[in-house]
Structure formats: C-alpha cells, structure tokens
Amino acid sequence: MFDNEASGQIPAANTPVAVSAPKAADTSKRKQLFAGLAGLTLAAGLGYGAWYALVGSHHVETDNAYVAADVAQITPLVGGPVRSVEVRDTQTVTRGQVLVTLDDSDARIALASAQADLAKAERRVRGYLATDQSLAAQITAREADQTRAAASLASAQADLERARIDLERRKALAANGAVSGDELTRAQNAFANAQAAAASAKAAETQAQANRAAAVGSLTANAALTDGTTVDTNPEVASARARVEQAKLDLERTVIRAPIDGVVTRRNVQIGQRVAPGAPLMQVAPIQQAYVDANFKEGQLRKVAIGQPVELKSDLYGGSVTYHGKVVGLSGGTGSAFAMIPAQNATGNWIKVVQRLPVRIALDPAELKARPLRVGLSMTAAIDTRR
C-alpha cells in the first residue's frame, strides 16, 4: 500500500484537514478580548448612567466664568495741581491710605475768607439783637412823648375853652358899655392864642403817635431778622458757617485717600498735572471682595436658584485648588440684550443662538484670602442644583 504523497495522489476535497493548535488559541483569545471590551463598555455605560442619575443630572457646569469685583474709581472732588502721588500700579493699599495730594493753597485762602465772613455775620447779628433792645427803649420813650403830648393837648383845650367863655362874657358886657374896647380886644387875642396853642398841642400829639408807630415798625422789621434765633442759630450765621464747613471740606479733599482695601490699577496721574473734579486718576480693585460671574446656557438654568452651593476652579491655581461659593443672583437679561447694539431678530435673517445668562457667585472669604484672585481671571463653575 503506497502513501498518498509518495504515490503523487491528491487528497479528496471532502477529506477533513486538521487545524493547528496555535491558530485556535489566537481565536479564543480574541473572543475573550472582545467579550471583556464589551463588558467594560457596558460597565462604563452603566456607571455613567448611574453617575448621571445620582450626580450629573443635579449639576450644571460652565467654563465661561470670570472673576469680577466692584472696582473703585478714584477721582478728585476738587481741582488743582498734583503735589504728590503716593502709590504705584499693582500696589496694595488699605482704606484711608493717602493716594494723591493736591496743592492746597487756594483751598486755605478760601477757608480763611469763609471764616472772616462768619465773624462778620456773627457781629452783624449781635448788632441786630442790640438794635432790638434800643428800639424797644425808643418805643418806651415815644410812648412817654405821646402821653406828654396828650396832656399838653388837654391843657391847651382847657385854656381854649376858658378863653372862649371869657370872650363871650366880654362881648355880652361890651353891648352895654360895661367893657371897654381894649378889654374886648385882649379877650379876642387871648382866644386866638388859645386856639393856636390847642392846634399846636394837637399836632404835637399826632407827631408823638407817628414817632411811636415808626419805632414799633422799626422794632418789628429788626425783630424779623432775629425772631426765635440766637447768634448761633441765626440764618445769616448758619449760612456763613456752612460756607466755612464747605471750605474745610474742600481743603480736606485736596488729600485723596483710598475708599476701600485693594490693589491700585490703571494709575494715570503724575506730579505737576492739573486735574479737574471728576477726572479719573486711578482705580482700586478690591480683590478680597471679588466674586465670579458665570455665564450659563439658558437650558442649564432650569433648576438653578439663589443660595445653591457652587464649586469653582481657577486656571491660575489649577484643578488641585477648589473654591466654594454660592449663587447670590441671576442677571436681569442676557449679554446680548444689554449690548450696545442689541441683535434685531425681526429682520428675517434669524438663526437661533443659544443665549447665556450671567449668574453671580459669591466666594468664600477665607478661601479668597488664602489664595487671592485677580479681576478677569478665568474660572470653571459647577452648581449643585439638588439643594
């Protein structure tokens, strides 16, 4: 019997060929790898689903967040040449620290002038009060003059009446020749003199009344300047005192101080420069009072509410440092709504763009003090909406 190979015969097509052992092992290993990969994928999917259901669905996150602060604008309240500049850019300052000093020569002169005006006003009011007393005495004197004039008028009227009776008696006797013509003439003259004296007394009384009325009017007019007031509370003195206080305030304002604690930025004032009231000199950024404005997509804000906790990370310190804060407010509109040129979607060329709304986040002061931030730095914010 011959061997197939030796005889040159070809095996039949349906004759089974044995598979090598290494090839079978590779196929088995490949199947195991695919099965393991499918298991890992399934486990990852289940893990992500569980994480999203328990954690992810209750958190919203954005990296469109930036550090901000209510920067203090340093401007002079009075004008004048700059005498000295005490700080530089990037310098840390405390509240009340001197930043800039203006030349105070004009302010000192204005204060001296206001103080002189106050002294004159006080003396003038004291004169008003003294005049009140003088006019009151004049009224008393005019009343005495009026009384005396009334008495003189009464005496003159009595003399006139006596002269009239005497004249009538003389006329009756003159008809019988009992009284001489000279005696009748003297009686007539006496009556005329008594009339003149009565008229003069009447005029004197009228003059006395007028003098008293004038004195009363003068007292009333002067009292209107001092009624219910003293030297200190008189309106003229109060006005002059207010001008003194304003001059003192203007003098104090020649020394410009820091209104808050912070870091000096954008200093643009130099010695010798003449500044006007309201001119920007520098800014002070209160980095210890910094906050974060995080711009979330409108679809992320369904469950966001004030008071919810926030975890933040800064590009400055990296992912190893986490800040903690809370939501303190949501803006009244999106950035596009308050832009200088708002988008006009009524033109017809409209493409929907997802809008973002700024959310104000307050930072933990202790963490902020330990690791200070600067205005404008990028942050990543994640809000826990479960609370």
Side-chain angles (χ1 to χ4, degrees), residues 16 42 48 56 76 148 161 195 199 226-227 250-251 259 264 287 289 335 341 354 365 371 382:
L42 179 60
Y48 176 78
R148 184 167 52 252
E161 182 64 19
Q195 284 182 321
T226 59
D227 186 30
D250 290 343
L251 179 60
V264 176
I287 59 174
Q289 300 175 15
I341 304 178
V354 176
R371 291 183 175 85

Side-chain angles (χ1 to χ4, degrees), residues 33-329:
L33 289 175
F34 278 123
L37 181 60
L40 288 175
T41 302
L42 179 60
L46 292 174
Y48 176 78
W51 173 86
Y52 182 79
L54 298 176
V55 179
S57 62
H58 303 295
H59 286 74
V60 290
E61 183 175 343
T62 183
D63 58 0
N64 189 351
Y66 305 93
V67 179
D70 296 329
V71 177
Q73 187 77 248
I74 307 301
T75 60
L77 297 178
V78 295
V82 178
R83 177 181 293 175
S84 64
V85 181
E86 308 294 339
V87 294
R88 64 183 186 281
D89 270 334
T90 73
Q91 181 175 337
T92 301
V93 295
T94 58
R95 181 176 181 178
Q97 182 175 339
V98 176
L99 304 177
V100 179
T101 303
L102 304 180
D103 188 289
D104 60 358
S105 301
D106 293 338
R108 291 186 181 278
I109 293 173
L111 175 59
S113 176
Q115 289 173 335
D117 290 341
L118 174 60
K120 289 192 294 185
E122 290 175 344
R123 285 170 173 78
R124 187 163 54 249
V125 172
R126 290 192 183 96
Y128 294 157
L129 296 175
T131 302
D132 282 346
Q133 297 176 356
S134 175
L135 291 174
Q138 289 183 21
I139 290 175
T140 302
R142 296 297 178 265
E143 288 176 347
D145 291 343
Q146 186 178 0
T147 302
R148 184 167 52 252
S152 298
L153 176 60
S155 177
Q157 288 176 341
D159 292 341
L160 176 60
E161 182 64 19
R162 186 167 50 253
R164 183 184 64 79
I165 294 173
D166 188 55
L167 176 61
E168 289 178 353
R169 185 181 300 116
R170 294 290 190 277
K171 285 181 178 181
L173 295 175
N176 299 328
V179 176
S180 65
D182 290 338
E183 190 174 356
L184 180 60
T185 300
R186 285 195 298 273
Q188 290 175 340
N189 291 336
F191 178 72
N193 290 334
Q195 284 182 321
S200 177
K202 181 63 176 178
E205 183 189 37
T206 303
Q207 181 65 41
Q209 290 176 345
N211 290 340
R212 181 185 179 280
V216 170
S218 297
L219 178 60
T220 302
N222 196 76
L225 301 175
T226 59
D227 186 30
T229 65
T230 62
V231 174
D232 291 334
T233 60
N234 186 270
E236 292 187 28
V237 175
S239 177
R241 187 180 295 110
R243 289 191 291 271
V244 171
E245 296 300 324
Q246 181 63 57
K248 288 181 179 178
L249 188 59
D250 290 343
L251 179 60
E252 292 176 358
R253 286 173 172 171
T254 59
V255 179
I256 303 173
R257 302 178 182 274
I260 56 175
D261 298 342
V263 176
V264 176
T265 60
R266 300 184 64 182
R267 198 202 86 168
N268 56 2
V269 59
Q270 304 297 333
I271 296 176
Q273 176 183 351
R274 186 173 186 86
V275 297
L281 305 182
M282 64 187 71
Q283 293 180 348
V284 176
I287 59 174
Q288 294 302 324
Q289 300 175 15
Y291 51 83
V292 173
D293 282 333
N295 302 298
F296 284 91
K297 296 179 181 179
E298 50 190 321
Q300 295 177 299
L301 299 174
R302 295 186 183 93
K303 299 180 181 180
V304 173
I306 294 175
Q308 290 174 341
V310 187
E311 290 187 354
L312 306 103
K313 296 183 184 297
S314 168
D315 292 354
L316 176 64
Y317 296 106
S320 60
V321 177
T322 300
Y323 291 87
H324 297 84
K326 64 179 180 179
V327 176
V328 295

